[in-house]
Amino acid sequence: MRYLSLPAEFLGDEEKPALCLPPEYAAAYPVRAEHQYKDLRMRRNSALSNGTTGNSEGAPNGAGPTSTAEDVARRSAIAEEQAFLDVATARRDTLTEHLEAELSSEAVDALERARQRMLRRQYEELQRAREGLVFGRLDGLDGTVRHIGRVGLRNAGEDSEPLLVDWRAPAARPFYTATAVDPQGQARRRHIRTSGSAVVGVDDEPLDGTMTAELVGEGALLAALDQRRTGRMSTAISTLQREQDDIIRAEATGPLIVQGGPGTGKTVVALHRVAYLLFAHPTMADQGVLVLGPSPRFLQYIAQVLPALGETAVVSATCDTLLPGIRVGRDESRTLAEIKGRALWQPALENYVTSLLPRPRELKLRWAGDFYVIPAATVAQALASAVQGRPYHRARKAFAEQLHHILADAVAEQREALMNEMEEGFEDILARVDRDMQHDHHPGSTSTGSDIDGLLSEEEIADLRDQIAENATIARFIETWWPTLDAETLLRDLLTNPALVARFAPQLSSEEITAVSAEPPLWASSDIPLLDALADLLGEDHVDTPQPQGGFVADHARRQRDWVYGHVVVDEAQELSEMQWHMVLRRCPSRSITAVGDIDQAEAAHRHTSWAEAVQAVLGDRWTAAELTICYRTPREVMGLTEPVLTKAGSRNTPPRAVRSSGIAPWTLMVTPAELAGAAAQAVRQLQQRWHGGTVGVIAPAGRIAELLDVLDDVPVLTATQSKGLEWDATLLVDPHGIAAEPRGWNGLYVALTRCTQELGQLLLTQQASHP
């Protein structure tokens, strides 16, 4: 291996081992790394020392306070906020005890159950607000003081002012959006840092122009970004920035598609938007929210965010797991994934199901020993009425109900006709019978029916309809003429029959039809949207039941394919195929959708290079665009490597602007293929030592994953696609040229380069390694 050593002091810790760099990087990086590291320290010290700032352990880097007056002011501010936190904590505990008592009584009616659902939601929010209960404060120009927290708390008394303002409330918005240019009636913003029940620091930000910070709460934000990664995403309600808050609070009137490069907080924005929408629109919780992510690993990574924000009416899934009981059983080629992801399959499947509907014809039914003929015109009319706006099985149910009425009416009409054909001699007999019956009844009796005049009364006809509906012979006839269908069987019948594919998807070439028809029987990822479309077109063959409300919404929604959600969030939305977009829209016909992603990170088989191309086939022009332009996570040193990669990926977008520096230049080692596994293991050990308490991730081409897993069993080893949405303190990128050589590899390399928050190392392959 060829390498040079970078002094450990550039890492900010003289006890850390030296960092290795190849000679070709030595001229460019050490000076820049030292400069940027010092720049970071200066900016952070400045952000923390302007106004009244500090923490419980002194100034940054362990240095003492800059002056006795500042130290006194800092301690005074911490003591002030500690006193408030104690009051707020006591009030939260009181409210929690009160709610526990309210919830201990049994609900006796629907109104009381609805009330208890609301109280249960409030109780759970208070229970989860034990950490970070208070994190901000706004001092108004008019002298008012508002504290901002995870939940809202009221003082005793119905007309009292709020003790603590919920971060989602309109009154809290200036905490995220006020600036020196637009103070929004505020004189100062204070970020309050807590650990458990103790205040450990405050960061003040005057809004009168005396302090010019690029970011809202820059000191608090940089401190949060500098924390070790834990492998789980945490909430960011105390450090949200203005452009993020604007998107979080945007109206949910239609699809909102958010473009954001790496490190811009796309996922944070999407999840906090869910919390905001459920706060602003409480009825949305009755329908629940669906969060779609790119992988189970990603969903595990974000799993704690919404519960920590007090939200439980949320279902998390991938497109592959949206259909209950259906699982992906095999991989597939990118070519076939692209073919089956096209929007053309939606009308193809609609036409396919339509072709399976029964054709109008004369029907001959047997009832009570007699045959009854239903004319073809009557059948056609009933069919047209039943099919209108209904899926296959619901249409069959509607037709069956009409057929029961038609048959009952035919029975009644035939009986009436038979009565009209009776000989005149029977009329006298019936007349005498009628007179006798009138003699036996009280005056004024108007009884009618088949026992009196031979004709069926309305009640008797209704009873006849019920008998017909419950008759097994009639049911078997309808099942034979209009059979129950299964989505899986239908899709297999279609995809394995080239003639059927050609008939219903004529846009496909003969080569594409052959490729589709030759696939193995197990389901691939691209089959799931087709199955979902067929299941929707067939419809459920069951009686509608009221949707449950309260804490069990998520459980019911997860088990029910045709559940309609109040809102849908899609993360890494650039990966969705057109048929997967149909899946999303099916679950939220109101189009209350938030989709976040980076079109430049797209690795899916489709070739969309803009959001307009990606959603045009399904959403048309009915969507709103938003953009996140600032990169908070990925340091400048790393983002500086992305421009040529984006150019090769064919990007049309301006990469996000990085606003922080880690002070650590990216480094590279040259190794032979034979040295790769050992070099990777050694590099990971060094990174783990440097970032003890944090996380390290390894990204490599798909073909090298198995080799690396043999020597790396204590860190995630992923492909670029699998690493989407994840972050680590340090990333080891193995064989970046191999990643670039994969399909859409430049997009994948862009993803891989931008997963770290502090340090990036790369192992490059060479056939001949030079030794130092």
Side-chain angles (χ1 to χ4, degrees):
M1 293 181 286
R2 293 190 293 120
Y3 58 89
L4 290 179
S5 294
L6 179 65
E9 55 265 31
F10 290 154
L11 300 177
D13 188 341
E14 295 181 1
E15 297 180 359
K16 303 297 183 186
L19 182 68
C20 296
L21 285 174
E24 56 265 33
Y25 281 70
Y29 284 121
V31 174
R32 188 175 72 174
E34 180 180 18
H35 169 75
Q36 291 181 341
Y37 185 66
K38 290 180 178 178
D39 173 63
L40 172 69
R41 291 298 177 95
M42 292 175 64
R43 290 179 65 224
R44 189 168 301 154
N45 291 349
S46 174
L48 293 173
S49 62
N50 276 285
T52 304
T53 65
N55 57 53
S56 60
E57 298 176 358
N61 309 325
T66 55
S67 69
T68 302
E70 285 187 11
D71 186 37
V72 170
R74 175 181 61 80
R75 294 181 183 277
S76 175
I78 290 176
E80 178 185 17
E81 300 307 338
Q82 183 66 60
F84 179 83
L85 178 59
D86 293 342
V87 171
T89 300
R91 180 60 178 162
R92 183 205 62 201
D93 293 344
T94 299
L95 291 173
T96 301
E97 292 172 1
H98 174 74
L99 288 171
E100 281 181 335
E102 290 278 338
L103 291 168
S104 63
S105 60
E106 186 176 351
V108 295
D109 54 30
L111 183 62
E112 183 62 21
R113 286 192 292 273
R115 178 175 177 271
Q116 287 211 353
R117 284 196 298 269
M118 179 187 69
L119 296 179
R120 172 66 60 182
R121 179 178 173 84
Q122 294 175 356
Y123 175 77
E124 290 173 350
E125 283 189 340
L126 291 174
Q127 284 289 89
R128 291 186 175 90
R130 296 188 177 279
E131 184 69 30
L133 175 63
V134 181
F135 60 78
R137 168 174 155 173
L138 287 170
D139 293 4
L141 291 169
D142 59 0
T144 59
V145 174
R146 290 191 180 94
H147 279 85
I148 314 299
R150 289 182 55 176
V151 296
L153 296 176
R154 279 199 170 275
N155 282 304
E158 292 186 2
D159 299 328
S160 61
E161 287 292 315
L163 173 68
L164 185 64
V165 177
D166 191 297
W167 69 274
R168 297 163 289 190
R173 191 166 194 193
F175 184 77
Y176 302 105
T177 59
T179 64
V181 176
D182 178 25
Q184 301 174 29
Q186 309 303 316
R188 182 179 68 175
R189 170 172 41 228
R190 169 175 286 178
H191 281 78
I192 302 165
R193 302 198 301 278
T194 61
S195 177
S197 60
V199 176
V200 298
V202 296
D203 300 305
D204 280 348
E205 189 178 352
L207 298 172
D208 58 3
T210 59
M211 174 181 170
T212 56
E214 183 178 13
L215 306 172
V216 171
E218 185 169 283
L221 177 62
L222 290 175
L225 292 171
D226 242 16
Q227 291 178 352
R228 294 290 191 265
R229 305 296 104 176
T230 64
R232 291 289 183 92
M233 179 175 283
S234 58
T235 65
I237 51 177
S238 63
T239 56
L240 292 172
Q241 299 298 297
R242 177 164 188 159
E243 70 172 11
Q244 296 174 326
D245 187 74
D246 287 343
I247 293 171
I248 288 170
R249 298 174 192 264
E251 289 296 322
T253 55
L256 176 66
I257 297 181
V258 183
Q259 163 64 29
T264 55
K266 300 182 292 297
T267 302
V268 165
V269 166
L271 297 178
H272 286 69
R273 177 163 167 75
V274 170
Y276 169 76
L277 290 175
L278 289 172
F279 173 84
H281 307 283
T283 56
M284 193 177 285
D286 293 337
Q287 293 178 280
V289 173
L290 173 64
V291 175
L292 281 179
S295 67
R297 183 186 290 271
F298 174 83
L299 294 177
Q300 183 181 15
Y301 172 61
I302 67 172
Q304 300 305 311
V305 177
L306 286 171
L309 293 172
E311 306 303 342
T312 58
V314 178
V315 173
S316 297
T318 67
C319 287
D320 287 352
T321 61
L322 265 184
L323 279 179
I326 303 296
R327 291 293 178 267
V328 172
R330 63 179 176 85
D331 294 328
E332 64 184 336
S333 71
R334 290 176 62 85
T335 300
L336 282 167
E338 189 278 326
I339 293 171
K340 290 193 292 184
R342 298 175 193 172
L344 65 87
W345 287 96
Q346 185 63 35
L349 294 172
E350 291 172 3
N351 293 334
Y352 179 40
V353 171
T354 299
S355 73
L356 301 173
L357 293 170
R359 295 294 176 260
R361 66 175 176 85
E362 181 181 273
L363 299 182
K364 190 175 183 180
L365 303 174
R366 184 181 179 89
W367 181 256
D370 293 325
F371 285 99
Y372 298 87
V373 176
I374 312 299
T378 302
V379 173
Q381 185 178 6
L383 267 173
S385 174
V387 169
Q388 188 67 35
R390 293 185 180 92
Y392 179 93
H393 289 125
R394 298 291 179 87
R396 186 184 70 164
K397 180 181 177 182
F399 176 82
E401 291 174 354
Q402 292 188 59
L403 188 61
H404 299 155
H405 282 70
I406 293 169
L407 180 56
D409 291 343
V411 172
E413 290 172 3
Q414 185 162 311
R415 181 163 185 167
E416 182 178 359
L418 289 172
M419 292 298 296
N420 291 334
E421 294 174 358
M422 285 183 178
E423 297 178 3
E424 294 182 359
F426 286 99
E427 293 179 359
D428 293 337
I429 298 174
L430 291 174
R432 286 196 297 272
V433 171
D434 287 343
R435 284 195 297 270
D436 291 341
M437 293 181 68
Q438 290 174 3
H439 177 74
D440 293 338
H441 285 73
H442 295 290
S445 174
T446 58
S447 297
T448 62
S450 60
D451 291 338
I452 301 171
D453 56 12
L455 301 180
L456 296 178
S457 67
E458 287 299 324
E459 292 79 4
E460 289 172 320
I461 293 176
D463 183 62
L464 177 60
R465 290 170 185 158
D466 292 340
Q467 293 178 41
I468 293 172
E470 295 170 1
N471 185 267
T473 302
I474 299 296
R476 283 195 298 271
F477 173 83
I478 294 174
E479 175 65 29
T480 301
W481 190 64
W482 194 327
T484 301
L485 299 178
D486 172 68
E488 292 189 71
T489 302
L490 276 185
L491 187 59
R492 286 196 176 96
D493 290 345
L494 172 65
L495 296 183
T496 57
N497 189 326
L500 283 179
V501 176
R503 175 184 170 189
F504 293 109
Q507 305 94 321
L508 299 180
S509 68
S510 58
E511 292 80 8
E512 291 171 333
I513 292 172
T514 299
V516 168
S517 303
E519 284 198 288
L522 293 177
W523 298 125
S525 180
S526 66
D527 293 317
I528 304 301
L530 305 186
L531 272 173
D532 187 62
L534 266 180
D536 185 68
L537 291 166
L538 293 177
E540 306 297 334
D541 192 18
H542 60 64
V543 178
D544 290 327
T545 55
Q547 290 191 349
Q549 297 180 339
F552 300 104
V553 166
D555 292 334
H556 285 273
R558 192 176 289 108
R559 294 193 297 266
Q560 193 167 320
R561 183 206 61 80
D562 56 352
W563 188 274
V564 174
Y565 291 89
H567 192 77
V568 176
V569 168
V570 186
D571 207 323
E572 301 293 343
Q574 74 278 356
E575 303 301 336
L576 266 61
S577 69
E578 292 168 340
M579 287 304 293
Q580 286 173 328
W581 274 110
H582 274 295
M583 290 182 79
V584 172
L585 201 57
R586 225 169 268 132
R587 283 155 179 79
C588 192
S590 67
R591 292 176 170 243
S592 181
I593 299 167
T594 300
V596 300
D598 181 4
I599 203 71
D600 291 327
Q601 295 186 51
E603 291 186 80
H606 60 68
R607 294 291 174 178
H608 305 314
T609 58
S610 72
W611 285 110
E613 292 176 355
V615 302
Q616 177 67 37
V618 180
L619 300 182
D621 298 325
R622 297 172 57 192
W623 57 280
T624 302
E627 187 173 8
L628 295 167
T629 62
I630 301 173
C631 173
Y632 308 98
R633 178 193 67 210
T634 312
R636 291 195 195 105
E637 294 88 345
V638 174
M639 287 304 295
L641 302 179
T642 62
E643 186 173 351
V645 175
L646 283 176
T647 299
K648 292 178 179 179
S651 171
R652 304 178 186 177
N653 300 306
T654 301
R657 178 171 55 90
V659 293
R660 61 181 285 267
S661 171
S662 67
I664 306 170
W667 52 268
T668 302
L669 296 180
M670 306 292 293
V671 299
T672 65
E675 296 172 320
L676 179 63
Q682 180 181 357
V684 166
R685 285 195 297 270
Q686 292 178 348
L687 290 172
Q688 288 175 323
Q689 291 173 7
R690 286 197 286 274
W691 301 106
H692 179 70
T695 57
V696 175
V698 178
I699 304 176
R704 298 197 178 276
I705 297 295
E707 174 187 4
L708 294 170
L709 285 173
D710 286 340
V711 296
L712 301 171
D713 58 1
D714 58 346
V715 295
V717 182
L718 308 173
T719 65
T721 299
Q722 293 168 337
S723 72
K724 279 183 175 296
L726 305 180
E727 64 179 21
W728 304 285
D729 294 279
T731 300
L732 180 66
L733 183 54
V734 176
D735 189 13
H737 294 300
I739 294 176
E742 294 177 327
R744 301 208 74 175
W746 293 109
N747 302 84
L749 184 56
Y750 180 53
V751 173
L753 285 169
T754 54
R755 296 305 94 198
C756 71
T757 64
Q758 303 291 346
E759 181 178 353
L760 172 67
Q762 301 184 66
L763 298 184
L764 296 182
L765 291 181
T766 180
Q767 294 304 314
Q768 297 293 329
S770 300
H771 297 281

